[in-house]
Short mmCIF file of all heavy atoms in Angstrom, two decimals:
data_model
loop_
_atom_site.label_atom_id
_atom_site.label_comp_id
_atom_site.label_asym_id
_atom_site.label_seq_id
_atom_site.Cartn_x
_atom_site.Cartn_y
_atom_site.Cartn_z
N MET A 157 -11.82 7.28 -2.71
CA MET A 157 -10.63 6.53 -3.05
C MET A 157 -10.30 5.63 -1.87
O MET A 157 -10.42 6.03 -0.72
CB MET A 157 -9.46 7.50 -3.30
CG MET A 157 -8.12 6.80 -3.42
SD MET A 157 -6.72 7.91 -3.63
CE MET A 157 -7.03 8.51 -5.26
N HIS A 158 -9.89 4.41 -2.20
CA HIS A 158 -9.46 3.49 -1.16
C HIS A 158 -8.04 3.04 -1.48
O HIS A 158 -7.74 2.67 -2.60
CB HIS A 158 -10.37 2.26 -1.07
CG HIS A 158 -9.92 1.32 0.00
ND1 HIS A 158 -10.11 1.57 1.33
CD2 HIS A 158 -9.26 0.15 -0.08
CE1 HIS A 158 -9.58 0.58 2.04
NE2 HIS A 158 -9.06 -0.29 1.20
N ILE A 159 -7.18 3.09 -0.48
CA ILE A 159 -5.80 2.62 -0.61
C ILE A 159 -5.67 1.35 0.20
O ILE A 159 -5.98 1.33 1.39
CB ILE A 159 -4.81 3.67 -0.08
CG1 ILE A 159 -4.95 4.98 -0.87
CG2 ILE A 159 -3.38 3.14 -0.16
CD1 ILE A 159 -4.19 6.15 -0.27
N SER A 160 -5.25 0.29 -0.46
CA SER A 160 -5.09 -1.00 0.20
C SER A 160 -3.61 -1.35 0.26
O SER A 160 -2.92 -1.35 -0.75
CB SER A 160 -5.84 -2.07 -0.60
OG SER A 160 -5.64 -3.34 -0.04
N VAL A 161 -3.13 -1.62 1.46
CA VAL A 161 -1.73 -1.96 1.68
C VAL A 161 -1.66 -3.39 2.20
O VAL A 161 -2.36 -3.74 3.14
CB VAL A 161 -1.08 -0.99 2.70
CG1 VAL A 161 0.36 -1.40 2.98
CG2 VAL A 161 -1.17 0.45 2.23
N THR A 162 -0.83 -4.19 1.58
CA THR A 162 -0.57 -5.55 2.05
C THR A 162 0.88 -5.60 2.47
O THR A 162 1.77 -5.20 1.72
CB THR A 162 -0.84 -6.58 0.94
OG1 THR A 162 -2.19 -6.42 0.48
CG2 THR A 162 -0.66 -7.99 1.46
N THR A 163 1.11 -6.07 3.68
CA THR A 163 2.46 -6.06 4.22
C THR A 163 2.76 -7.38 4.92
O THR A 163 1.84 -8.14 5.26
CB THR A 163 2.64 -4.88 5.20
OG1 THR A 163 4.00 -4.83 5.63
CG2 THR A 163 1.75 -5.00 6.40
N LEU A 164 4.01 -7.63 5.11
CA LEU A 164 4.40 -8.77 5.92
C LEU A 164 4.11 -8.46 7.38
O LEU A 164 4.13 -7.29 7.79
CB LEU A 164 5.89 -9.07 5.73
CG LEU A 164 6.28 -9.54 4.33
CD1 LEU A 164 7.79 -9.60 4.18
CD2 LEU A 164 5.66 -10.90 4.03
N PRO A 165 3.82 -9.46 8.19
CA PRO A 165 3.54 -9.22 9.61
C PRO A 165 4.73 -8.59 10.32
O PRO A 165 5.87 -8.73 9.89
CB PRO A 165 3.27 -10.63 10.16
CG PRO A 165 2.91 -11.46 8.99
CD PRO A 165 3.69 -10.88 7.84
N GLY A 166 4.44 -7.90 11.41
CA GLY A 166 5.51 -7.34 12.22
C GLY A 166 5.36 -5.87 12.53
O GLY A 166 6.02 -5.36 13.42
N TYR A 167 4.52 -5.18 11.78
CA TYR A 167 4.31 -3.77 12.05
C TYR A 167 3.29 -3.61 13.17
O TYR A 167 2.30 -4.33 13.23
CB TYR A 167 3.83 -3.04 10.79
CG TYR A 167 4.87 -3.04 9.71
CD1 TYR A 167 4.84 -3.98 8.68
CD2 TYR A 167 5.92 -2.12 9.72
CE1 TYR A 167 5.81 -4.01 7.70
CE2 TYR A 167 6.89 -2.14 8.74
CZ TYR A 167 6.83 -3.08 7.73
OH TYR A 167 7.80 -3.10 6.76
N THR A 168 3.54 -2.67 14.04
CA THR A 168 2.64 -2.45 15.17
C THR A 168 1.40 -1.69 14.71
O THR A 168 1.42 -1.04 13.64
CB THR A 168 3.34 -1.61 16.26
OG1 THR A 168 3.58 -0.28 15.74
CG2 THR A 168 4.64 -2.24 16.71
N PRO A 169 0.33 -1.76 15.50
CA PRO A 169 -0.85 -0.95 15.16
C PRO A 169 -0.52 0.54 15.04
O PRO A 169 -1.05 1.22 14.17
CB PRO A 169 -1.80 -1.23 16.32
CG PRO A 169 -1.43 -2.62 16.77
CD PRO A 169 0.07 -2.66 16.62
N ALA A 170 0.38 1.04 15.88
CA ALA A 170 0.77 2.45 15.81
C ALA A 170 1.47 2.77 14.49
O ALA A 170 1.22 3.82 13.88
CB ALA A 170 1.66 2.81 16.99
N GLU A 171 2.34 1.86 14.03
CA GLU A 171 3.02 2.08 12.74
C GLU A 171 2.02 2.05 11.59
O GLU A 171 2.13 2.86 10.66
CB GLU A 171 4.09 1.01 12.54
CG GLU A 171 5.28 1.17 13.46
CD GLU A 171 6.24 -0.02 13.41
OE1 GLU A 171 5.78 -1.18 13.31
OE2 GLU A 171 7.45 0.23 13.51
N LYS A 172 1.07 1.16 11.65
CA LYS A 172 0.05 1.08 10.60
C LYS A 172 -0.82 2.34 10.59
O LYS A 172 -1.15 2.87 9.52
CB LYS A 172 -0.81 -0.16 10.79
CG LYS A 172 -0.06 -1.45 10.54
CD LYS A 172 -0.93 -2.64 10.86
CE LYS A 172 -0.19 -3.94 10.70
NZ LYS A 172 -1.01 -5.11 11.02
N LYS A 173 -1.17 2.82 11.76
CA LYS A 173 -1.98 4.03 11.85
C LYS A 173 -1.20 5.23 11.29
O LYS A 173 -1.76 6.05 10.56
CB LYS A 173 -2.37 4.28 13.31
CG LYS A 173 -3.34 5.40 13.47
CD LYS A 173 -3.82 5.49 14.92
CE LYS A 173 -4.86 6.59 15.06
NZ LYS A 173 -5.42 6.64 16.40
N LEU A 174 0.08 5.32 11.60
CA LEU A 174 0.90 6.40 11.07
C LEU A 174 1.01 6.31 9.55
O LEU A 174 0.93 7.32 8.85
CB LEU A 174 2.29 6.38 11.72
CG LEU A 174 3.26 7.46 11.25
CD1 LEU A 174 2.71 8.86 11.51
CD2 LEU A 174 4.61 7.27 11.93
N LEU A 175 1.20 5.10 9.03
CA LEU A 175 1.25 4.91 7.58
C LEU A 175 -0.05 5.38 6.93
O LEU A 175 -0.03 6.11 5.94
CB LEU A 175 1.52 3.45 7.24
CG LEU A 175 1.47 3.09 5.75
CD1 LEU A 175 2.50 3.90 4.95
CD2 LEU A 175 1.67 1.60 5.55
N ALA A 176 -1.17 4.98 7.49
CA ALA A 176 -2.47 5.39 6.94
C ALA A 176 -2.60 6.91 6.96
O ALA A 176 -3.05 7.53 5.98
CB ALA A 176 -3.60 4.74 7.72
N LYS A 177 -2.19 7.53 8.04
CA LYS A 177 -2.26 8.99 8.16
C LYS A 177 -1.40 9.66 7.09
O LYS A 177 -1.82 10.59 6.42
CB LYS A 177 -1.80 9.42 9.55
CG LYS A 177 -1.81 10.90 9.76
CD LYS A 177 -1.30 11.27 11.15
CE LYS A 177 -1.33 12.78 11.29
NZ LYS A 177 -0.27 13.31 12.06
N ARG A 178 -0.17 9.15 6.92
CA ARG A 178 0.74 9.75 5.94
C ARG A 178 0.25 9.53 4.51
O ARG A 178 0.44 10.38 3.64
CB ARG A 178 2.15 9.20 6.13
CG ARG A 178 2.77 9.53 7.46
CD ARG A 178 3.36 10.93 7.49
NE ARG A 178 3.72 11.37 8.80
CZ ARG A 178 4.85 11.12 9.44
NH1 ARG A 178 5.77 10.38 8.86
NH2 ARG A 178 5.07 11.60 10.65
N LEU A 179 -0.37 8.39 4.24
CA LEU A 179 -0.93 8.16 2.91
C LEU A 179 -2.05 9.16 2.62
O LEU A 179 -2.13 9.71 1.53
CB LEU A 179 -1.44 6.73 2.78
CG LEU A 179 -0.36 5.66 2.68
CD1 LEU A 179 -0.98 4.26 2.80
CD2 LEU A 179 0.40 5.79 1.38
N LYS A 180 -2.90 9.41 3.62
CA LYS A 180 -3.97 10.39 3.43
C LYS A 180 -3.39 11.79 3.21
O LYS A 180 -3.89 12.55 2.39
CB LYS A 180 -4.92 10.37 4.63
CG LYS A 180 -5.78 9.10 4.65
CD LYS A 180 -6.73 9.09 5.82
CE LYS A 180 -7.83 10.07 5.59
NZ LYS A 180 -9.18 9.64 5.84
N GLU A 181 -2.32 12.13 3.92
CA GLU A 181 -1.67 13.42 3.72
C GLU A 181 -1.07 13.53 2.32
O GLU A 181 -1.15 14.58 1.67
CB GLU A 181 -0.57 13.64 4.77
CG GLU A 181 -1.11 13.85 6.17
CD GLU A 181 -0.03 13.79 7.25
OE1 GLU A 181 1.15 13.48 6.93
OE2 GLU A 181 -0.37 14.04 8.42
N ALA A 182 -0.48 12.44 1.85
CA ALA A 182 0.11 12.44 0.51
C ALA A 182 -0.97 12.65 -0.55
O ALA A 182 -0.77 13.40 -1.51
CB ALA A 182 0.86 11.13 0.26
N VAL A 183 -2.09 12.00 -0.37
CA VAL A 183 -3.20 12.15 -1.31
C VAL A 183 -3.69 13.60 -1.30
O VAL A 183 -3.94 14.20 -2.35
CB VAL A 183 -4.34 11.16 -0.97
CG1 VAL A 183 -5.60 11.49 -1.73
CG2 VAL A 183 -3.89 9.75 -1.28
N ALA A 184 -3.79 14.18 -0.12
CA ALA A 184 -4.23 15.58 -0.01
C ALA A 184 -3.25 16.51 -0.73
O ALA A 184 -3.66 17.52 -1.31
CB ALA A 184 -4.38 15.97 1.45
N SER A 185 -1.97 16.16 -0.73
CA SER A 185 -0.97 17.02 -1.36
C SER A 185 -1.10 17.09 -2.88
O SER A 185 -0.54 17.98 -3.50
CB SER A 185 0.44 16.57 -0.97
OG SER A 185 0.81 15.41 -1.68
N VAL A 186 -1.84 16.15 -3.46
CA VAL A 186 -2.08 16.20 -4.91
C VAL A 186 -3.50 16.65 -5.22
O VAL A 186 -3.98 16.50 -6.34
CB VAL A 186 -1.76 14.86 -5.60
CG1 VAL A 186 -0.28 14.53 -5.48
CG2 VAL A 186 -2.62 13.73 -5.09
N GLY A 187 -4.18 17.20 -4.22
CA GLY A 187 -5.46 17.83 -4.46
C GLY A 187 -6.70 17.00 -4.22
O GLY A 187 -7.81 17.41 -4.54
N ILE A 188 -6.55 15.83 -3.64
CA ILE A 188 -7.71 14.99 -3.34
C ILE A 188 -8.07 15.20 -1.88
O ILE A 188 -7.21 15.15 -1.01
CB ILE A 188 -7.40 13.51 -3.62
CG1 ILE A 188 -7.09 13.32 -5.11
CG2 ILE A 188 -8.55 12.62 -3.18
CD1 ILE A 188 -6.56 11.97 -5.47
N ALA A 189 -9.33 15.47 -1.61
CA ALA A 189 -9.78 15.72 -0.24
C ALA A 189 -9.54 14.48 0.62
O ALA A 189 -10.04 13.39 0.30
CB ALA A 189 -11.25 16.10 -0.23
N SER A 190 -8.79 14.64 1.69
CA SER A 190 -8.42 13.48 2.51
C SER A 190 -9.62 12.80 3.15
O SER A 190 -9.59 11.60 3.41
CB SER A 190 -7.40 13.88 3.58
OG SER A 190 -7.96 14.80 4.48
N PHE A 191 -10.72 13.54 3.36
CA PHE A 191 -11.89 12.90 3.97
C PHE A 191 -12.56 11.91 3.03
O PHE A 191 -13.40 11.11 3.44
CB PHE A 191 -12.90 13.94 4.48
CG PHE A 191 -13.62 14.68 3.40
CD1 PHE A 191 -14.80 14.16 2.86
CD2 PHE A 191 -13.15 15.89 2.92
CE1 PHE A 191 -15.48 14.84 1.86
CE2 PHE A 191 -13.83 16.57 1.93
CZ PHE A 191 -15.00 16.05 1.39
N THR A 192 -12.17 11.93 1.77
CA THR A 192 -12.73 10.97 0.80
C THR A 192 -11.86 9.72 0.67
O THR A 192 -12.15 8.86 -0.15
CB THR A 192 -12.88 11.62 -0.59
OG1 THR A 192 -11.58 11.91 -1.12
CG2 THR A 192 -13.71 12.88 -0.54
N VAL A 193 -10.81 9.63 1.47
CA VAL A 193 -9.84 8.54 1.35
C VAL A 193 -9.96 7.58 2.54
O VAL A 193 -10.02 8.01 3.68
CB VAL A 193 -8.40 9.09 1.28
CG1 VAL A 193 -7.40 7.95 1.21
CG2 VAL A 193 -8.25 10.03 0.10
N SER A 194 -10.00 6.30 2.24
CA SER A 194 -9.93 5.27 3.28
C SER A 194 -8.68 4.43 3.02
O SER A 194 -8.21 4.34 1.89
CB SER A 194 -11.19 4.39 3.29
OG SER A 194 -11.34 3.76 2.04
N VAL A 195 -8.16 3.84 4.08
CA VAL A 195 -6.94 3.04 3.97
C VAL A 195 -7.15 1.73 4.74
O VAL A 195 -7.65 1.75 5.86
CB VAL A 195 -5.72 3.78 4.57
CG1 VAL A 195 -4.47 2.91 4.48
CG2 VAL A 195 -5.49 5.12 3.87
N SER A 196 -6.79 0.62 4.12
CA SER A 196 -6.77 -0.65 4.84
C SER A 196 -5.36 -1.22 4.76
O SER A 196 -4.66 -1.04 3.76
CB SER A 196 -7.79 -1.63 4.25
OG SER A 196 -7.44 -1.98 2.93
N ILE A 197 -4.97 -1.88 5.84
CA ILE A 197 -3.65 -2.51 5.89
C ILE A 197 -3.84 -3.95 6.35
O ILE A 197 -4.42 -4.19 7.40
CB ILE A 197 -2.70 -1.75 6.84
CG1 ILE A 197 -2.55 -0.29 6.36
CG2 ILE A 197 -1.34 -2.45 6.91
CD1 ILE A 197 -1.74 0.59 7.28
N LYS A 198 -3.38 -4.87 5.51
CA LYS A 198 -3.57 -6.29 5.78
C LYS A 198 -2.21 -6.97 5.87
O LYS A 198 -1.34 -6.75 5.03
CB LYS A 198 -4.39 -6.91 4.65
CG LYS A 198 -4.58 -8.40 4.74
CD LYS A 198 -5.45 -8.93 3.62
CE LYS A 198 -4.67 -8.98 2.33
NZ LYS A 198 -5.36 -9.67 1.25
N ASP A 199 -2.03 -7.77 6.91
CA ASP A 199 -0.82 -8.58 7.03
C ASP A 199 -0.99 -9.86 6.22
O ASP A 199 -2.07 -10.45 6.20
CB ASP A 199 -0.59 -8.98 8.49
CG ASP A 199 -0.19 -7.79 9.36
OD1 ASP A 199 0.28 -6.79 8.82
OD2 ASP A 199 -0.35 -7.89 10.58
N LEU A 200 0.07 -10.26 5.58
CA LEU A 200 0.07 -11.50 4.82
C LEU A 200 1.28 -12.31 5.25
O LEU A 200 2.41 -11.81 5.25
CB LEU A 200 0.17 -11.19 3.32
CG LEU A 200 -0.01 -12.36 2.38
CD1 LEU A 200 -1.45 -12.86 2.41
CD2 LEU A 200 0.36 -11.95 0.97
N PRO A 201 1.09 -13.57 5.65
CA PRO A 201 2.22 -14.38 6.09
C PRO A 201 3.27 -14.53 4.99
O PRO A 201 2.94 -14.58 3.81
CB PRO A 201 1.58 -15.74 6.41
CG PRO A 201 0.13 -15.49 6.55
CD PRO A 201 -0.18 -14.29 5.70
N MET A 202 4.51 -14.60 5.40
CA MET A 202 5.65 -14.71 4.47
C MET A 202 5.45 -15.86 3.48
O MET A 202 5.76 -15.71 2.29
CB MET A 202 6.94 -14.91 5.25
CG MET A 202 8.16 -15.12 4.38
SD MET A 202 8.53 -13.71 3.35
CE MET A 202 9.79 -12.96 4.31
N GLU A 203 4.92 -16.97 3.95
CA GLU A 203 4.78 -18.13 3.05
C GLU A 203 3.75 -17.91 1.94
O GLU A 203 3.72 -18.65 0.96
CB GLU A 203 4.46 -19.41 3.84
CG GLU A 203 3.19 -19.37 4.65
CD GLU A 203 3.38 -18.83 6.07
OE1 GLU A 203 4.45 -18.31 6.42
OE2 GLU A 203 2.41 -18.93 6.83
N LYS A 204 2.92 -16.89 2.05
CA LYS A 204 1.94 -16.59 1.00
C LYS A 204 2.37 -15.40 0.14
O LYS A 204 1.71 -15.07 -0.84
CB LYS A 204 0.58 -16.29 1.64
CG LYS A 204 -0.03 -17.49 2.33
CD LYS A 204 -1.39 -17.18 2.86
CE LYS A 204 -2.00 -18.42 3.52
NZ LYS A 204 -3.36 -18.16 3.98
N TRP A 205 3.48 -14.75 0.50
CA TRP A 205 3.89 -13.51 -0.17
C TRP A 205 4.19 -13.71 -1.65
O TRP A 205 3.69 -12.96 -2.49
CB TRP A 205 5.11 -12.91 0.54
CG TRP A 205 5.43 -11.55 0.02
CD1 TRP A 205 6.42 -11.22 -0.85
CD2 TRP A 205 4.74 -10.34 0.32
NE1 TRP A 205 6.40 -9.87 -1.11
CE2 TRP A 205 5.37 -9.31 -0.39
CE3 TRP A 205 3.65 -10.02 1.13
CZ2 TRP A 205 4.95 -7.99 -0.33
CZ3 TRP A 205 3.24 -8.70 1.20
CH2 TRP A 205 3.87 -7.70 0.47
N ASP A 206 5.01 -14.70 -2.00
CA ASP A 206 5.38 -14.91 -3.40
C ASP A 206 4.16 -15.15 -4.29
O ASP A 206 4.06 -14.59 -5.38
CB ASP A 206 6.35 -16.08 -3.55
CG ASP A 206 7.76 -15.73 -3.09
OD1 ASP A 206 8.08 -14.52 -3.01
OD2 ASP A 206 8.53 -16.65 -2.79
N THR A 207 3.23 -15.96 -3.82
CA THR A 207 2.02 -16.23 -4.58
C THR A 207 1.20 -14.96 -4.75
O THR A 207 0.72 -14.65 -5.84
CB THR A 207 1.17 -17.32 -3.88
OG1 THR A 207 1.96 -18.49 -3.76
CG2 THR A 207 -0.09 -17.62 -4.67
N PHE A 208 1.07 -14.19 -3.69
CA PHE A 208 0.32 -12.94 -3.73
C PHE A 208 0.91 -11.99 -4.78
O PHE A 208 0.19 -11.45 -5.61
CB PHE A 208 0.35 -12.28 -2.34
CG PHE A 208 -0.15 -10.87 -2.32
CD1 PHE A 208 -1.51 -10.60 -2.43
CD2 PHE A 208 0.74 -9.81 -2.18
CE1 PHE A 208 -1.97 -9.28 -2.41
CE2 PHE A 208 0.29 -8.51 -2.16
CZ PHE A 208 -1.08 -8.25 -2.28
N ILE A 209 2.22 -11.81 -4.76
CA ILE A 209 2.87 -10.89 -5.70
C ILE A 209 2.72 -11.39 -7.13
O ILE A 209 2.42 -10.62 -8.04
CB ILE A 209 4.37 -10.71 -5.34
CG1 ILE A 209 4.49 -9.99 -4.01
CG2 ILE A 209 5.12 -9.98 -6.43
CD1 ILE A 209 3.94 -8.58 -3.97
N ARG A 210 2.93 -12.68 -7.36
CA ARG A 210 2.82 -13.23 -8.72
C ARG A 210 1.41 -13.10 -9.29
O ARG A 210 1.25 -12.98 -10.50
CB ARG A 210 3.25 -14.69 -8.74
CG ARG A 210 4.74 -14.84 -8.91
CD ARG A 210 5.14 -16.28 -9.18
NE ARG A 210 5.94 -16.72 -8.05
CZ ARG A 210 5.59 -17.65 -7.17
NH1 ARG A 210 4.48 -18.31 -7.29
NH2 ARG A 210 6.38 -17.96 -6.17
N GLU A 211 0.40 -13.13 -8.42
CA GLU A 211 -0.98 -13.08 -8.90
C GLU A 211 -1.52 -11.66 -9.08
O GLU A 211 -2.60 -11.48 -9.61
CB GLU A 211 -1.88 -13.87 -7.94
CG GLU A 211 -1.62 -15.35 -8.00
CD GLU A 211 -2.43 -16.16 -7.01
OE1 GLU A 211 -3.15 -15.58 -6.17
OE2 GLU A 211 -2.33 -17.40 -7.06
N LEU A 212 -0.77 -10.64 -8.65
CA LEU A 212 -1.20 -9.26 -8.85
C LEU A 212 -1.15 -8.93 -10.34
O LEU A 212 -0.12 -9.12 -10.98
CB LEU A 212 -0.29 -8.29 -8.11
CG LEU A 212 -0.57 -8.02 -6.66
CD1 LEU A 212 0.50 -7.09 -6.09
CD2 LEU A 212 -1.94 -7.41 -6.44
N PRO A 213 -2.24 -8.41 -10.88
CA PRO A 213 -2.21 -8.00 -12.30
C PRO A 213 -1.21 -6.85 -12.49
O PRO A 213 -1.08 -5.98 -11.63
CB PRO A 213 -3.63 -7.52 -12.56
CG PRO A 213 -4.46 -8.11 -11.47
CD PRO A 213 -3.55 -8.24 -10.28
N ASP A 214 -0.52 -6.85 -13.61
CA ASP A 214 0.47 -5.81 -13.89
C ASP A 214 -0.12 -4.41 -13.78
O ASP A 214 0.54 -3.49 -13.32
CB ASP A 214 1.08 -6.00 -15.28
CG ASP A 214 2.03 -7.18 -15.34
OD1 ASP A 214 2.46 -7.65 -14.26
OD2 ASP A 214 2.35 -7.62 -16.45
N ASN A 215 -1.37 -4.25 -14.20
CA ASN A 215 -1.97 -2.91 -14.18
C ASN A 215 -2.33 -2.44 -12.77
O ASN A 215 -2.75 -1.30 -12.58
CB ASN A 215 -3.19 -2.84 -15.09
CG ASN A 215 -4.33 -3.72 -14.61
OD1 ASN A 215 -4.13 -4.65 -13.84
ND2 ASN A 215 -5.52 -3.44 -15.09
N GLU A 216 -2.17 -3.29 -11.77
CA GLU A 216 -2.44 -2.90 -10.39
C GLU A 216 -1.16 -2.58 -9.61
O GLU A 216 -1.22 -2.17 -8.46
CB GLU A 216 -3.21 -4.00 -9.66
CG GLU A 216 -4.63 -4.15 -10.13
CD GLU A 216 -5.42 -5.16 -9.33
OE1 GLU A 216 -4.99 -5.51 -8.21
OE2 GLU A 216 -6.46 -5.60 -9.83
N ILE A 217 -0.02 -2.75 -10.24
CA ILE A 217 1.25 -2.47 -9.57
C ILE A 217 1.79 -1.15 -10.10
O ILE A 217 2.01 -0.99 -11.30
CB ILE A 217 2.27 -3.60 -9.83
CG1 ILE A 217 1.74 -4.92 -9.29
CG2 ILE A 217 3.61 -3.25 -9.18
CD1 ILE A 217 2.60 -6.12 -9.63
N ILE A 218 1.96 -0.21 -9.21
CA ILE A 218 2.49 1.10 -9.58
C ILE A 218 3.76 1.32 -8.78
O ILE A 218 3.75 1.27 -7.55
CB ILE A 218 1.47 2.21 -9.30
CG1 ILE A 218 0.20 1.95 -10.12
CG2 ILE A 218 2.07 3.57 -9.61
CD1 ILE A 218 -0.97 2.84 -9.77
N ILE A 219 4.84 1.56 -9.47
CA ILE A 219 6.12 1.78 -8.81
C ILE A 219 6.49 3.23 -9.04
O ILE A 219 6.93 3.61 -10.14
CB ILE A 219 7.19 0.82 -9.38
CG1 ILE A 219 6.72 -0.63 -9.23
CG2 ILE A 219 8.53 1.05 -8.67
CD1 ILE A 219 7.57 -1.63 -9.95
N PRO A 220 6.32 4.09 -8.02
CA PRO A 220 6.56 5.53 -8.21
C PRO A 220 7.92 5.88 -8.77
O PRO A 220 8.04 6.78 -9.58
CB PRO A 220 6.41 6.10 -6.80
CG PRO A 220 5.56 5.11 -6.08
CD PRO A 220 5.89 3.78 -6.68
N GLU A 221 8.96 5.15 -8.39
CA GLU A 221 10.30 5.46 -8.90
C GLU A 221 10.37 5.35 -10.42
O GLU A 221 11.10 6.08 -11.06
CB GLU A 221 11.34 4.51 -8.28
CG GLU A 221 11.49 4.63 -6.78
CD GLU A 221 10.42 3.88 -6.02
OE1 GLU A 221 9.91 2.85 -6.50
OE2 GLU A 221 10.09 4.32 -4.90
N LEU A 222 9.60 4.44 -10.99
CA LEU A 222 9.63 4.26 -12.44
C LEU A 222 8.84 5.35 -13.16
O LEU A 222 9.13 5.66 -14.31
CB LEU A 222 9.09 2.88 -12.81
CG LEU A 222 9.90 1.70 -12.31
CD1 LEU A 222 9.26 0.39 -12.76
CD2 LEU A 222 11.34 1.77 -12.79
N LEU A 223 7.84 5.94 -12.52
CA LEU A 223 7.04 6.96 -13.16
C LEU A 223 7.88 8.20 -13.49
O LEU A 223 7.63 8.88 -14.46
CB LEU A 223 5.86 7.36 -12.27
CG LEU A 223 4.83 6.26 -12.04
CD1 LEU A 223 3.74 6.76 -11.09
CD2 LEU A 223 4.21 5.79 -13.33
N ASN A 224 8.88 8.48 -12.68
CA ASN A 224 9.72 9.65 -12.91
C ASN A 224 10.62 9.49 -14.15
O ASN A 224 11.11 10.45 -14.69
CB ASN A 224 10.61 9.92 -11.68
CG ASN A 224 9.80 10.35 -10.48
OD1 ASN A 224 8.74 10.94 -10.63
ND2 ASN A 224 10.29 10.04 -9.31
N ARG A 225 10.81 8.26 -14.58
CA ARG A 225 11.68 7.99 -15.73
C ARG A 225 10.92 8.04 -17.04
O ARG A 225 11.51 8.02 -18.09
CB ARG A 225 12.32 6.62 -15.58
CG ARG A 225 13.24 6.55 -14.39
CD ARG A 225 13.86 5.19 -14.28
NE ARG A 225 14.64 5.10 -13.05
CZ ARG A 225 15.08 4.00 -12.55
NH1 ARG A 225 14.84 2.85 -13.15
NH2 ARG A 225 15.76 3.99 -11.44
N MET A 226 9.61 8.07 -16.99
CA MET A 226 8.81 8.03 -18.22
C MET A 226 8.71 9.39 -18.86
O MET A 226 8.84 10.40 -18.31
CB MET A 226 7.43 7.49 -17.92
CG MET A 226 7.46 6.07 -17.46
SD MET A 226 5.77 5.51 -17.11
CE MET A 226 6.02 3.78 -17.20
#
């Protein structure tokens, strides 16, 4: 499994590393072996953010808060 995170610039390498670690821990908590998980974190400039979000296919956007309501 690969988890890809796109974020606005400004997070430190330490914050990104912690995020990746916590994502792997979260995956492990649902029964997926963490050694099978990779994480990438990419910065995207603010001026490209709106285009990036609009071009994401609906089936690639998962909003956990909404899953609890289904």
Side-chain angles (χ1 to χ4, degrees):
M157 170 183 291
H158 180 75
I159 300 170
S160 176
V161 177
T162 304
T163 185
L164 294 171
Y167 295 97
T168 67
E171 289 171 322
K172 292 175 183 179
K173 187 173 183 175
L174 180 59
L175 174 59
K177 179 182 180 215
R178 297 279 168 84
L179 287 170
K180 288 181 73 133
E181 290 169 355
V183 168
S185 76
V186 296
I188 297 171
S190 64
F191 71 88
T192 66
V193 178
S194 59
V195 178
S196 65
I197 301 175
K198 175 178 76 171
D199 290 339
L200 188 69
M202 176 63 99
E203 60 271 10
K204 294 184 179 183
W205 188 258
D206 285 341
T207 302
F208 168 74
I209 293 297
R210 274 190 245 113
E211 291 177 354
L212 275 177
D214 287 344
N215 65 340
E216 290 185 18
I217 300 174
I218 299 170
I219 304 170
E221 296 81 30
L222 296 180
L223 294 178
N224 293 331
R225 296 180 186 166
M226 296 179 160

